[in-house]
Amino acid sequence: MSNNEITGRIPPELAWKSSILQRLDFSSNRLIGEIPKELWKMKALSSLNLSHNQLSGMLPSEIGKLSNLGVLDLSANNLTGPIPDQLGDCFKMIYLNLGKNRFNGSIPKQMGNLISLQLLMDLSHNQLLGEIPSEIGQLHVLETLNLSHNMLSGFIPSSLEEMLSLTLIDISYNELEGPIPKIKAFEDAPREAFTKNKALCGNASKGLPSCNSSMIEKRNTGKKHMLIIYILLPILSAMFLLSIVIGIAFVFQRKAKKKKIEMGQTERIDQGDLFAICRYDGRIVHENIIEATENFDDKHCIGKGAYGSVYKATLSTGQVVAVKKLHPLQEDAEMVNKKHFTNEIHALTEIRHRNIVKFYGFCSHVWHSFLVYEYLERGSLAKILGDVERATDLDWIRRISVIKGVANALSYMHHDCSPPLIHRDISGNNILLDSEYEAHVSDFGVARLLMPDTSNWTSLAGTYGYLAPEFAYTMRVTEKCDVYSFGVVTIETLMGRHPGELLSSLSLPSSSSLASSSSVVQTMMLKDILDQRLPPPTTEVYGALVSIVKIAFTCMNVNPQSRPTMEHVSQDLSSHKPFSIDEFHTVTLGEFLH
């Protein structure tokens, strides 16, 4: 139920009636109040996402009873109080995001018990105090650690040097001092990952001063008072060697996994294009995008949809791209068939059409996956039509060009791709315009890449208001569904708004259409439903618009078999014979409803 406008509180009854629920996603809504204590009794939960709401109150100790919890995302709320020690009892946790709240107190040392934590630990943008507990160093498989924008102080524990799997870190905006750990994640981190601290040292290339002996000695002072260390030294050495062996084994395991997943694959090899190296080292591109979006900060977000959120990223090369960060999938984000998924990605990278958004590549990081597209300056057709000033700039000639461009793209996908590509979600939101107002179809082929039985399935099959009527009883998407959606988008483009009333008339059975349709709609002049924000069309454009409307109504035929193919539509739009101006003035919508 994510990405809606749901308001109010989370009902406690949800827990009583959903005792075996495994995944719950209420993210990106307007929920308020405290998280019901009953929620912490849902012991079957493996994934809980309540992020981007207005939830308040404290995180209770009962959270430790969720022994099966693997993913917890409570970020971007107003949660307060200390992080409960009992969170460390969630031994199966692989992803933890508590960022952008108002948690206070110190980081519990019990967080070091989350030894399965792999993908993310994000405690950023809170009010956490004290030192970083040395127990954090026990998280040997953790890949991303973000402790930025808190009030943490003291030295960074040397135990963090054992976190060999770390790839991304951010400790900026704290009161930390002393040497930074001598591991690759800290050495390769950008300068911004250390900024606004008290007195960090150890890496001149990051703008940090070199560490003098007194600072190092000060960090080690506490250890000198713990003589027990020398007694246990042989044992600790053995454990350290064991951790090294485990770390090496894990590194090899990750390399093998990397080859299988093939992060950021692309066939694009244009000179100077950063994504040309995706297939050689996807991690470079992955880290570049994380840096450019500041770990997908909301200020870089330019849109949200059923699949995920879209971010604008300006890379180090100066190239601007659109990054669609996908919502987490079920089954620990595993695809139904990885080989099939990889083949699909390869197919998408090979698609080239002037009216289809260029797809650069894909980065798969389990719960941190995203698609990379070209960035188009003017945004979606829907947003342009919804803005008076921008809609006025989209004059009749440009609107006709947009319609033809979408038709050409769908014709290419249906008839020139092998196997044919069905878009599944043609709507105003998925048609993007470049600086010259040329249309580009986006999100093509994405729907069939994702698991059809996820919570996104209904949205992936289409957007309400654009779905072909037969979908309600067949639940199956065909090329003719795309044809219907194209007809709706065409009328929407000419009206400047969604044609809800017309769709209601068209959705009736043919035998009762005239009897049941509103007489007002039947007798309405076609020229009166065109976008009144634009000046009246010229004589030549008048005829072209009538021809286009006739094609659009044919595409919206209730019977799928009676709809034309997109190849025929594209050809008809390119070689249409405009109506005369006299005929235009006598055309009513009733003639199209027949």
Side-chain angles (χ1 to χ4, degrees):
M1 289 182 279
S2 64
N3 289 281
N4 284 288
E5 298 291 334
I6 302 174
T7 59
R9 300 171 181 267
I10 301 175
E13 295 82 359
L14 181 68
W16 302 340
K17 299 179 180 181
S18 309
S19 59
I20 61 173
L21 187 66
Q22 295 182 18
R23 294 175 179 84
L24 178 60
D25 189 348
F26 271 118
S27 63
S28 300
N29 282 290
R30 298 182 182 178
L31 298 173
I32 62 172
E34 297 185 1
I35 302 173
K37 60 182 180 180
E38 289 80 5
L39 214 61
W40 311 118
K41 299 178 182 179
M42 301 172 66
K43 296 184 178 180
L45 272 182
S46 63
S47 177
L48 176 62
N49 190 345
L50 304 178
S51 64
H52 293 85
N53 281 287
Q54 301 167 33
L55 299 172
S56 57
M58 299 174 62
L59 195 58
S61 60
E62 284 79 6
I63 190 173
K65 297 180 180 180
L66 300 182
S67 57
N68 290 311
L69 196 61
V71 173
L72 178 63
D73 193 343
L74 303 178
S75 61
N77 279 289
N78 295 312
L79 299 174
T80 58
I83 299 173
D85 298 346
Q86 291 78 4
L87 185 60
D89 295 336
C90 300
F91 301 116
K92 294 184 180 180
M93 190 88 69
I94 63 172
Y95 179 103
L96 174 64
N97 192 346
L98 302 180
K100 297 182 180 178
N101 279 286
R102 289 187 290 157
F103 287 113
N104 52 45
S106 59
I107 300 175
K109 63 180 182 180
Q110 289 82 357
M111 300 285 273
N113 296 335
L114 301 176
I115 57 175
S116 296
L117 205 58
Q118 176 184 352
L119 303 176
L120 173 72
M121 176 191 279
D122 190 340
L123 306 180
S124 65
H125 293 84
N126 280 290
Q127 301 167 17
L128 299 174
L129 300 165
E131 299 184 351
I132 301 173
S134 61
E135 287 79 5
I136 295 295
Q138 299 172 17
L139 307 180
H140 293 163
V141 299
L142 184 64
E143 297 177 0
T144 301
L145 175 63
N146 191 347
L147 303 177
S148 66
H149 293 83
N150 280 289
M151 293 178 281
L152 300 172
S153 58
F155 294 91
I156 302 174
S158 58
S159 61
L160 267 62
E161 294 181 354
E162 300 176 22
M163 301 176 70
L164 302 180
S165 296
L166 271 183
T167 57
L168 296 172
I169 63 101
D170 191 346
I171 56 173
S172 59
Y173 291 87
N174 281 289
E175 297 295 326
L176 298 169
E177 58 183 310
I180 63 173
K182 295 180 179 179
I183 56 174
K184 186 174 177 58
F186 281 85
E187 293 172 349
D188 293 347
R191 184 190 304 261
E192 292 74 20
F194 306 109
T195 190
K196 301 296 183 181
N197 272 287
K198 185 177 181 180
L200 291 175
C201 63
N203 194 330
S205 65
K206 305 302 178 184
L208 301 177
S210 58
C211 298
N212 56 46
S213 58
S214 61
M215 297 185 72
I216 298 175
E217 182 179 355
K218 185 177 177 182
R219 184 182 70 167
N220 296 329
T221 298
K223 296 181 180 180
K224 294 180 181 178
H225 297 288
M226 300 174 62
L227 299 179
I228 192 66
I229 292 292
Y230 297 98
I231 300 175
L232 298 176
L233 187 59
I235 299 175
L236 293 175
S237 298
M239 292 179 64
F240 179 75
L241 289 175
L242 180 60
S243 69
I244 291 294
V245 173
I246 294 174
I248 294 174
F250 182 75
V251 169
F252 278 107
Q253 181 184 12
R254 285 185 59 207
K255 287 184 177 180
K257 183 178 180 181
K258 179 180 178 181
K259 289 182 179 179
K260 291 181 180 179
I261 297 179
E262 294 183 317
M263 289 180 59
Q265 295 183 58
T266 181
E267 295 300 322
R268 186 176 175 86
I269 55 175
D270 297 343
Q271 186 175 3
D273 188 344
L274 180 63
F275 289 95
I277 62 174
C278 272
R279 57 180 174 178
Y280 302 112
D281 193 346
R283 185 168 300 281
I284 293 178
V285 178
H286 179 273
E287 293 175 355
N288 227 281
I289 288 175
I290 295 297
E291 180 181 352
T293 60
E294 297 182 66
N295 201 19
F296 296 105
D297 191 283
D298 284 346
K299 67 183 179 182
H300 297 284
C301 184
I302 57 176
K304 294 184 178 181
Y307 309 122
S309 300
V310 181
Y311 299 80
K312 178 182 177 181
T314 303
L315 304 178
S316 57
T317 60
Q319 183 179 8
V320 181
V321 296
V323 182
K324 179 172 287 256
K325 184 175 181 292
L326 300 177
H327 294 316
L329 300 178
Q330 293 189 14
E331 302 303 329
D332 294 335
E334 291 292 327
M335 304 304 168
V336 178
N337 184 316
K338 287 185 177 179
K339 183 176 180 180
H340 172 71
F341 179 82
T342 301
N343 291 339
E344 289 279 12
I345 290 295
H346 275 296
L348 293 181
T349 58
E350 293 175 355
I351 290 176
R352 289 292 180 268
H353 191 277
R354 65 179 297 169
N355 297 115
I356 294 179
V357 174
K358 293 176 183 177
F359 177 72
Y360 291 132
F362 178 86
C363 281
S364 175
H365 206 276
V366 192
W367 289 93
H368 197 57
S369 301
F370 52 80
L371 303 139
V372 185
Y373 297 93
E374 69 173 320
Y375 174 74
L376 296 169
E377 298 85 341
R378 298 195 182 274
S380 70
L381 174 65
K383 286 188 176 180
I384 292 175
L385 294 177
D387 182 271
V388 175
E389 183 177 350
R390 299 176 70 192
T392 304
D393 290 337
L394 193 65
D395 58 29
W396 294 118
I397 298 299
R398 286 170 173 167
R399 295 192 190 199
I400 292 173
S401 176
V402 166
I403 293 168
K404 289 182 178 180
V406 176
N408 293 339
L410 289 174
S411 176
Y412 170 82
M413 291 168 63
H414 290 182
H415 303 283
D416 297 323
C417 293
S418 182
L421 264 177
I422 303 173
H423 189 284
R424 302 184 177 214
D425 195 11
I426 290 294
S427 68
N429 287 320
N430 287 333
I431 297 169
L432 307 180
L433 274 58
D434 61 21
S435 59
E436 301 299 322
Y437 290 94
E438 185 164 19
H440 301 256
V441 173
S442 69
D443 280 347
F444 58 94
V446 174
R448 65 179 185 173
L449 298 182
L450 306 181
M451 292 174 60
D453 57 347
T454 66
S455 59
N456 286 336
W457 188 82
T458 302
S459 295
L460 291 175
T463 300
Y464 180 76
Y466 300 86
L467 281 172
E470 69 270 14
F471 181 79
Y473 54 85
T474 65
M475 299 299 287
R476 189 170 64 90
V477 180
T478 66
E479 289 96 330
K480 291 305 177 73
C481 291
D482 277 356
V483 176
Y484 181 90
S485 300
F486 167 79
V488 177
V489 169
T490 298
I491 299 299
E492 178 182 18
T493 303
L494 299 181
M495 291 181 64
R497 64 185 187 279
H498 190 272
E501 292 183 7
L502 300 184
L503 294 182
S504 299
S505 300
L506 289 171
S507 63
L508 296 170
S510 58
S511 60
S512 60
S513 291
L514 293 177
S516 302
S517 297
S518 166
S519 59
V520 176
V521 174
Q522 286 284 322
T523 58
M524 187 179 295
M525 302 300 295
L526 176 59
K527 64 183 179 65
D528 293 331
I529 72 163
L530 297 178
D531 197 337
Q532 302 299 306
R533 295 173 295 184
L534 296 184
T538 62
T539 301
E540 181 181 355
V541 174
Y542 269 145
L545 293 178
V546 176
S547 298
I548 291 172
V549 171
K550 286 182 68 70
I551 293 172
F553 273 74
T554 305
C555 291
M556 294 188 292
N557 195 300
V558 176
N559 182 3
Q561 303 305 317
S562 298
R563 297 172 200 154
T565 64
M566 286 310 304
E567 186 175 39
H568 288 149
V569 170
S570 179
Q571 292 173 353
D572 288 345
L573 288 174
S574 299
S575 60
H576 66 78
K577 297 179 180 179
F579 281 57
S580 70
I581 186 170
D582 292 334
E583 288 177 299
F584 177 83
H585 280 293
T586 62
V587 173
T588 64
L589 296 188
E591 297 181 40
F592 295 111
L593 295 177
H594 281 285

